[in-house]
């Protein structure tokens, strides 16, 4: 081998080594380990329209080790053949339900068994069928899409549990995640004429998240391909973070989604009830009042603050999600509102 060939080979080897080191740093060494152990079936499957949806007919167990002031906790998630959360394995969706719940982890029942969620309590309070299609990290966008997907259940009432952070989630192509890379999801954006519409996820964030969580990238090919995908996800995450729409745009997006939710509910003969679930006892954003229009809104801020003033804690210590007592309170307040206003 002559000197020129050796030089070319050296350059190629050095370049390849530099690329591999860069992938190792960007995709593995600078990605923190998260305090989560996942057992059983996969909780989520990729959906090209929504981004992520519950894995149908599955049983997943999530274990969260203790961190700082949060104790260790674990909970089981069972789903029926549509992906709605249920009490145990092998359950099928009914042909028709009276109440359909959509929302995020506050409605899904993060850290709780299904029996402890407000959707399950609501079924007992009202003596009627309730299907819970909420999912952790969802916003109004995904809640609307899940309503449309399951409208054939012919519910009489749609309960949408909204939190303040949905204003941001609705316009973000990356939903909240433990990792600093994109967990891709549908989101509201605007066309050249300035009209809002729902854009699909940019890539498969579910596969990216699950592969990193499981460590399923031990052979050289999967290590390389997953590393490249993580870098792509980090770029998507950075772009989303640094191009956040204005508060006015967030408010416009929520109004657009709520309007579509109301029309979708009306198309199947259902009524829509938006329930504001406070985070850390905070009041609802003023923007919610400006866009709610004639949609029925149950704001639970005062109910939460009333219990707090009595000395009752309604949030998981060191976490911030509603606890068992909160879910019982939410169900009672919704049931009372439903009865008082003849929504069923």
């Amino acid at each position: 081998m002559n000197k020129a060939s050796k030089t070319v080979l050296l350059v190629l080897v050095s370049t390849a080594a530099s690329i591999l080191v860069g992938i190792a740093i960007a995709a593995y060494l600078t990605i923190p380990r998260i305090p989560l152990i996942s057992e059983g079936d996969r909780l989520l499957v990729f959906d090209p329209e929504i981004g992520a949806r519950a894995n149908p007919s599955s049983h997943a167990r999530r274990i969260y080790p203790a961190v700082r002031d949060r104790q260790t906790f674990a909970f089981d998630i069972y789903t029926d053949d549509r992906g709605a959360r249920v009490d145990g394995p092998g359950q099928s969706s009914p042909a028709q339900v009276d109440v359909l719940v959509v929302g995020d982890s506050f409605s899904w029942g993060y850290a709780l068994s299904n029996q402890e969620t407000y959707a399950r309590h609501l079924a007992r309070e009202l003596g009627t069928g309730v299907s819970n299609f909420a999912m952790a990290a969802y916003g109004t966008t995904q809640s609307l899409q899940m309503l449309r997907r399951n409208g054939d259940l012919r519910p009489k009432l749609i309960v949408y549990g909204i939190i303040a952070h949905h204003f941001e989630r609705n316009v973000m192509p990356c939903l909240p995640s433990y990792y600093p890379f994109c967990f891709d999801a549908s989101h509201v954006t605007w066309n050249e004429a300035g009209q809002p519409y729902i854009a699909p996820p940019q890539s498969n964030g579910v596969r990216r998240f699950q592969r990193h969580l499981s460590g399923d990238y031990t052979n050289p090919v999967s290590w390389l391909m997953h590393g490249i995908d993580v870098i792509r996800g980090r770029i998507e995450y950075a772009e989303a973070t640094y191009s956040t729409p204005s508060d006015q745009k967030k408010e416009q997006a929520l109004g657009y989604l709520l309007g579509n939710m109301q029309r979708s509910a009306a198309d199947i003969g259902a009524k829509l009830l938006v329930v504001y679930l406070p985070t850390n006892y905070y009041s609802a954003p003023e923007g919610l009042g400006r866009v709610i229009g004639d949609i029925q809104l149950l704001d639970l801020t005062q109910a939460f603050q009333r219990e707090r003033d009595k000395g009752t804690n309604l949030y998981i210590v060191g976490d911030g999600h509603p606890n068992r007592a909160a879910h019982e309170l939410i169900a009672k307040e919704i049931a009372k509102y439903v009865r008082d206003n003849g929504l069923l």
Side-chain angles (χ1 to χ4, degrees):
M1 182 180 295
N2 58 36
K3 185 176 180 180
S5 298
K6 290 181 179 179
T7 301
V8 172
L9 180 60
L10 179 61
V11 170
L12 292 175
V13 171
S14 299
T15 301
S18 298
I19 291 173
L20 293 176
V21 169
I23 291 174
I25 293 172
Y28 297 104
L29 299 179
T30 58
I31 302 292
R33 294 181 61 86
I34 61 176
L36 166 62
I37 300 171
S38 181
E39 297 179 348
D41 299 322
R42 291 181 175 180
L43 174 63
L44 300 169
V45 293
F46 176 66
D47 186 287
E49 179 187 19
I50 298 174
R53 60 180 173 85
N55 187 10
S57 302
S58 64
H59 172 210
R61 181 170 177 80
R62 288 292 177 95
I63 304 168
Y64 292 81
V67 292
R68 297 187 298 277
D69 55 345
R70 190 192 73 191
Q71 297 179 348
T72 299
F73 65 89
F75 62 108
D76 292 276
I77 306 104
Y78 297 94
T79 60
D80 67 16
D81 54 339
R82 282 178 178 257
R85 199 167 177 195
V86 291
D87 292 344
Q91 296 188 32
S92 297
S93 173
Q96 189 273 331
V97 296
D98 289 329
V99 182
L100 192 149
V101 173
V102 290
D104 67 352
S105 56
F106 278 41
S107 298
W108 177 63
Y110 173 86
L112 305 178
S113 68
N114 189 59
Q115 295 93 326
E116 297 167 325
T117 64
Y118 80 73
R120 197 70 181 89
H121 283 301
L122 187 60
R124 291 189 285 266
E125 288 275 348
L126 296 174
T128 190
V130 178
S131 285
N132 185 358
F133 288 97
M135 175 50 67
Y138 274 7
T140 321
T141 313
Q142 298 77 36
S143 299
L144 167 63
Q145 291 172 314
M146 291 307 296
L147 161 59
R148 289 173 169 171
R149 288 272 182 96
N150 296 283
D152 61 311
L153 290 174
R154 311 305 296 179
K156 300 174 184 176
L157 176 65
I158 310 298
V159 174
Y160 164 46
I162 188 173
I163 68 172
H165 197 242
H166 288 186
F167 278 83
E168 284 73 32
R169 292 184 191 178
N170 294 337
V171 296
M172 293 290 287
C174 307
L175 291 182
S177 170
Y178 296 103
Y179 290 121
F181 50 69
C182 195
F183 191 79
D184 304 74
S186 53
H187 55 284
V188 175
T189 189
W190 286 262
N191 61 23
E192 294 181 356
Q195 298 300 312
Y197 69 97
I198 297 176
Q202 302 173 98
S203 59
N204 190 337
V206 173
R207 179 183 59 199
R208 183 182 302 129
F209 178 92
Q210 291 175 337
R211 178 165 288 182
H212 212 86
L213 179 63
S214 67
D216 182 24
Y217 45 79
T218 54
N219 69 70
V221 174
S222 62
W223 184 93
L224 178 63
M225 298 305 295
H226 177 63
I228 293 172
D229 186 47
V230 168
I231 292 172
R232 172 183 178 173
R234 296 195 77 165
I235 293 171
E236 291 177 359
Y237 184 83
E239 291 175 343
T241 301
Y242 290 105
S243 60
T244 304
S246 66
D247 289 345
Q248 182 180 7
K249 286 285 192 181
K250 295 172 186 176
E251 195 171 307
Q252 182 187 5
L254 179 61
Y256 164 75
L257 293 168
L258 288 177
N260 276 278
M261 189 175 285
Q262 185 179 39
R263 286 188 289 273
S264 295
D267 287 344
I268 58 175
K271 297 175 182 177
L272 172 64
L273 174 61
V274 176
V275 181
Y276 175 71
L277 306 173
T279 303
N280 197 29
Y281 304 104
Y282 293 142
S283 300
E286 293 181 359
L288 180 58
R290 286 192 289 266
V291 302
I292 197 66
D294 60 353
I295 299 173
Q296 297 200 67
L297 171 66
L298 173 59
D299 186 345
L300 294 184
T301 303
Q302 290 187 357
F304 268 61
Q305 293 175 349
R306 182 179 65 244
E307 293 302 309
R308 176 200 59 189
D309 295 342
K310 292 179 182 178
T312 303
N313 173 50
L314 296 177
Y315 298 97
I316 299 170
V317 176
D319 179 88
H321 283 85
N323 61 17
R324 295 181 182 90
H327 277 261
E328 291 182 14
L329 174 65
I330 294 167
K332 289 179 180 178
E333 293 291 327
I334 294 175
K336 182 179 184 302
Y337 188 93
V338 168
R339 287 191 291 261
D340 290 348
N341 291 274
L343 297 186
L344 283 178

